[in-house]
Amino acid sequence: MKGSLDQALKLRLKTMIIAECEKDHITPAEVADHIQLFSEVCILELDSLDALQISVALQNQFGVRLPDSKAFRRHVTTINELADFIQPG
Amino acid sequence: MIAINGLGRHNSIPDQHQPDLAAELRSLSGKVYRRTDHFIQLAIIGAHKAAAGHELVPQTAIYMTSGQGNISVFDRICDQRHVRKELPRPVDFINLLSNSAGFYVAGHLGLKGKNLFVSHQHFPVQMALLAVQNDMQLGREQAALIGGVDEWIPRQDLAHTLLGLDQTTVLGEGSNWLLVGKRGKKALAHLAVTPRILDLRQLQQLLATVEPGTSLAFGKRLTAAEIATIMALTKGCPRYCYEEACGYYETLPLYVLTRFLAAEKGRLLHIDVSEERYMLMQVSTQD
């Protein structure tokens, strides 16, 4: 199954991002699947240090290595695209 | 000699768990900071209390010291790196830098002056105070916040081992701060640190000159025999007891000073020891 169709995977990703970035006042349900995570319209309001946190958490929890900022920007865009990257189906 | 204008004290003996300092910080200041850990929150709380009610000039310097530093994060990073073979969390890695807590304290209080973390294996508090004293005397600083911060960690066996203490020693945590400035009439007290490390003979010579009525406080590493010897040399000087109120941590001397100044009048001479070397500091509310 493609990651973007796997609700459990997407919930796990959202929960991980919220925990790693200490955005505990936000629930996973509030994070939209199709919104750019690093954009002004995203409820998470993430910054560059959050990107680093997420990158390391992805490696530790999913075994996904994003070696540089280019790779990170390419794959960590929306929850749907990140889920597809982790689980291409 | 420098003037003490403000005091901030946070001291506790946790039991099993680290207290929730994020909640305490929120209730104290209305603020909570993302990416801060227990050690950093501890530092902010103590500094906040010392600064409360004072209008700090932005150039107020920060001198912070700690015996063990951010030990819970250090322990977590060691576990991530060497046991679980994972990368450390970037925020943990950043917060492990000794001056990260000082960065957050400065941000919390809106300070833009010098920000130093003073490390010393034997006398962290005394050396930090000495650094402030020297900078004040040389005119490099007009005002400074000086804090000693040590946290309690649930892994008590590790803490006892790192501190070289018996496993039964009760450990505590604290964040004790002084707001200091140049000598002034409105000061709560004045502080002087003897600017050298003394051997026993030099200590005895200095003790012979202590004014009667000066209270004496002893670092927790002094033995009962050493204390008895010193008390015999300083007749007419009462002992200031604080030991029951706190567990051990390495920056306790700052707790002793702030505790005395919050409730007592007069002079207090604090005597500390490490490996048969001594350091003295004195506060007085009378000068």
Side-chain angles (χ1 to χ4, degrees):
Chain A
M1 185 184 0
K2 263 185 91 168
S4 55
L5 302 174
D6 185 341
Q7 297 304 322
L9 173 62
K10 289 197 286 187
L11 176 63
R12 199 175 149 204
L13 284 171
K14 290 176 189 178
T15 305
M16 179 198 79
I17 291 170
I18 287 167
E20 287 299 324
C21 303
E22 297 177 36
K23 299 281 185 178
D24 305 331
H25 59 289
I26 296 171
T27 64
E30 291 176 278
V31 182
D33 294 352
H34 61 284
I35 294 282
Q36 293 280 332
L37 290 168
F38 288 87
S39 69
E40 287 179 4
V41 293
C42 181
I43 192 169
L44 288 166
E45 297 179 318
L46 302 176
D47 60 22
S48 56
L49 195 48
D50 292 319
L52 207 52
Q53 285 281 110
I54 293 168
S55 177
V56 170
L58 284 170
Q59 180 162 341
N60 287 340
Q61 294 185 32
F62 291 91
V64 174
R65 190 155 181 272
L66 297 162
D68 54 38
S69 59
K70 269 187 183 174
F72 185 87
R73 281 199 298 271
R74 193 160 56 242
H75 298 297
V76 186
T77 52
T78 66
I79 289 291
N80 278 336
E81 288 183 43
L82 176 58
D84 283 344
F85 171 62
I86 290 169
Q87 193 173 293
Chain B
M1 192 174 273
I2 50 180
I4 298 172
N5 297 319
L7 310 169
R9 192 167 81 245
H10 181 92
N11 179 71
S12 70
I13 305 176
D15 180 27
Q16 295 189 327
H17 302 290
Q18 285 183 329
D20 182 0
L21 295 182
E24 187 164 342
L25 184 57
R26 194 182 292 112
S27 72
L28 191 69
S29 71
K31 295 176 185 170
V32 68
Y33 299 99
R34 200 157 66 98
R35 299 168 181 152
T36 58
D37 50 49
H38 188 80
F39 180 80
I40 292 172
Q41 289 160 2
L42 195 56
I44 298 172
I45 287 172
H48 179 93
K49 289 179 177 175
H54 296 274
E55 241 177 72
L56 302 188
V57 293
Q59 286 308 310
T60 300
I62 295 171
Y63 294 74
M64 193 177 141
T65 187
S66 175
Q68 296 293 302
N70 203 333
I71 190 70
S72 54
V73 169
F74 173 77
D75 185 36
R76 187 159 70 225
I77 283 190
C78 287
D79 180 61
Q80 287 166 342
R81 200 75 196 98
H82 301 295
V83 178
R84 301 197 329 241
K85 307 288 183 193
E86 291 179 352
L87 289 172
R89 294 174 73 232
V91 165
D92 281 350
F93 191 74
I94 293 166
N95 286 353
L96 201 57
L97 295 171
S98 56
N99 222 19
S100 288
F103 167 81
Y104 280 99
V105 168
H108 178 74
L109 297 172
L111 302 182
K112 297 183 171 97
K114 185 196 286 180
N115 197 331
L116 285 183
F117 188 92
V118 180
S119 285
H120 194 269
Q121 184 180 355
H122 303 287
F123 297 104
V125 166
Q126 290 84 348
M127 289 302 174
L129 287 170
L130 205 50
V132 177
Q133 185 172 276
N134 290 342
D135 282 349
M136 288 278 181
Q137 283 172 355
L138 292 169
R140 290 178 180 155
E141 300 299 336
Q142 304 298 314
L145 265 171
I146 170 161
V149 183
D150 274 302
E151 66 174 334
W152 182 95
I153 56 171
R155 277 191 62 190
Q156 290 284 280
D157 57 331
L158 173 68
H160 282 110
T161 303
L162 290 173
L163 288 165
L165 295 171
D166 181 87
Q167 292 287 330
T168 59
T169 304
V170 176
L171 304 179
E173 69 176 16
S175 175
N176 302 290
W177 290 72
L178 303 174
L179 175 62
V180 300
K182 291 207 159 184
R183 211 185 158 97
K185 284 183 180 170
K186 289 183 180 174
L188 297 171
H190 288 86
L191 164 78
V193 184
T194 304
R196 60 200 170 112
I197 297 175
L198 310 168
D199 60 24
L200 185 59
R201 189 183 56 81
Q202 292 167 324
L203 174 70
Q204 287 169 340
Q205 282 173 351
L206 265 174
L207 290 176
T209 66
V210 174
E211 287 182 56
T214 302
S215 298
L216 302 179
F218 300 97
K220 279 200 171 184
R221 286 189 189 259
L222 272 99
T223 63
E226 284 173 314
I227 292 172
T229 303
I230 292 171
M231 291 302 292
L233 286 170
T234 50
K235 290 207 162 42
C237 293
R239 181 172 176 185
Y240 178 68
C241 294
Y242 64 90
E243 291 84 354
E244 291 293 314
C246 55
Y248 181 86
Y249 52 91
E250 291 201 77
T251 50
L252 260 183
L254 264 175
Y255 166 75
V256 180
L257 299 189
T258 55
R259 185 175 190 265
F260 178 84
L261 293 175
E264 310 283 342
K265 295 273 181 221
R267 286 183 304 277
L268 176 75
L269 180 67
H270 184 278
I271 303 165
D272 212 352
V273 67
S274 178
E275 296 181 357
E276 298 179 12
R277 292 286 185 269
Y278 302 86
M279 278 200 86
L280 306 181
M281 50 188 186
Q282 179 166 303
V283 287
S284 173
T285 61
Q286 294 166 342
D287 293 320

